[in-house]
Amino acid sequence: MRTIGIIGGMSWESTIEYYKTINQEIKNRLGGLHSGKIILFSVNFAEIESLQYSGDWELAGKILANAAIALEKAGAEFILIATNTMHKLAHHVSSSVNIPLLHIADATAEQIIKSKLKKVGLLGTKFTMEQDFYKRRLTEHFNIDVLIPNNKDREIIHNIIYNELCKGIINKDSRKEYIRIISKLEESGAQGIILGCTEIELLINQADCNVPVFPTAKIHAIAAVEASL
């Protein structure tokens, strides 16, 4: 079993789900008392969030790179960044260590391709929805068309993530808003929906949607199990 290194804490609410999913999946596959070999470096999300909003991605990249270096020194054999947004800095992480980075967008794209879908809607932080680092990877590497909500709806999605989900607040009215936005994406031709922020899975699941959903934290965690085993 290879040792999994996780850069977490962005937010810790979703990092818990990574830890739980990895261990449950390994137990399911191996049985008995088997669990994952995991090293977790959990950052202070307040520091990261401040750098996101000030646009200081360079310093944020250094923080993640230092976390990756620490994980490698501690014995990790590959690394996960347990958040979609901070994959904007994936190169900072991968270039700082000699072990592989398991990219969340790649793991998600593989599941979309297995489902034989060509066009999907993307929910996430404004950084993930509006910037190119995530959408471009799906389009250029996997030939997947990506739809995003309109500006007003992007603002709603983003604010719910940071003001509620990252703080462990689950609001039924917010769920209704997400379902409304997802329905609009479906009407625009989305054949599936990427839950492209790891906290969204705390609020939305397959039962809330008429098309397949792709819960990125769960997909990423299971991909880590497969890489570990």
Side-chain angles (χ1 to χ4, degrees), residues 23-216:
N23 283 299
Q24 286 178 335
E25 188 68 15
I26 286 179
K27 182 182 73 173
N28 290 343
R29 295 187 185 205
L30 301 183
L33 296 176
H34 283 288
S35 58
K37 294 172 66 176
I38 300 168
I39 304 170
L40 170 63
F41 190 114
S42 191
V43 303
N44 179 359
F45 191 36
E47 295 176 358
I48 299 295
E49 189 260 0
S50 177
L51 294 172
Q52 288 175 341
Y53 278 93
S54 67
D56 194 348
W57 294 99
E58 190 64 30
L59 181 53
K62 289 178 180 177
I63 291 172
L64 295 198
N66 287 336
I69 291 167
L71 288 169
E72 183 176 29
K73 288 180 177 178
E77 295 174 81
F78 64 96
I79 289 177
L80 309 184
I81 307 172
T83 160
N84 285 272
T85 297
M86 299 308 286
H87 276 76
K88 176 180 173 70
L89 305 174
H91 177 69
H92 287 71
V93 172
S94 61
S95 63
S96 68
V97 293
N98 297 308
I99 55 177
L101 171 70
L102 183 58
H103 200 292
I104 195 168
D106 294 352
T108 302
E110 288 171 6
Q111 294 305 310
I112 294 169
I113 290 169
K114 284 182 180 179
S115 299
K116 299 182 179 179
L117 306 185
K118 290 290 186 181
K119 182 180 290 187
V120 295
L122 173 64
L123 305 186
T125 66
K126 288 180 69 175
F127 309 112
T128 300
M129 291 186 289
E130 295 176 358
Q131 297 180 21
D132 279 342
F133 68 92
Y134 200 93
K135 295 179 293 184
R136 186 177 64 245
R137 193 174 186 97
L138 293 175
T139 301
E140 293 183 356
H141 291 210
F142 300 95
N143 198 29
I144 297 169
D145 291 333
V146 181
L147 304 176
I148 61 171
N150 63 39
N151 185 61
K152 182 179 178 182
D153 287 343
R154 293 198 300 272
E155 195 74 35
I156 290 169
I157 291 166
H158 183 91
N159 288 337
I160 289 171
I161 290 168
Y162 279 89
N163 297 327
E164 296 177 18
L165 300 179
C166 286
K167 298 177 180 178
I169 299 168
I170 307 300
N171 187 313
K172 64 180 181 180
D173 291 330
S174 296
R175 179 178 287 111
K176 290 178 182 177
E177 280 291 87
Y178 269 54
I179 292 171
R180 176 187 64 79
I181 294 166
I182 288 168
S183 295
K184 289 174 68 175
L185 288 170
E186 291 173 10
E187 291 170 4
S188 298
Q191 301 167 313
I193 302 293
I194 299 174
L195 305 183
C197 174
T198 52
E199 285 81 15
I200 294 177
E201 294 160 57
L202 304 174
L203 185 67
I204 293 293
N205 58 45
Q206 183 62 67
D208 298 311
C209 304
N210 297 316
V211 295
V213 298
F214 298 91
T216 53

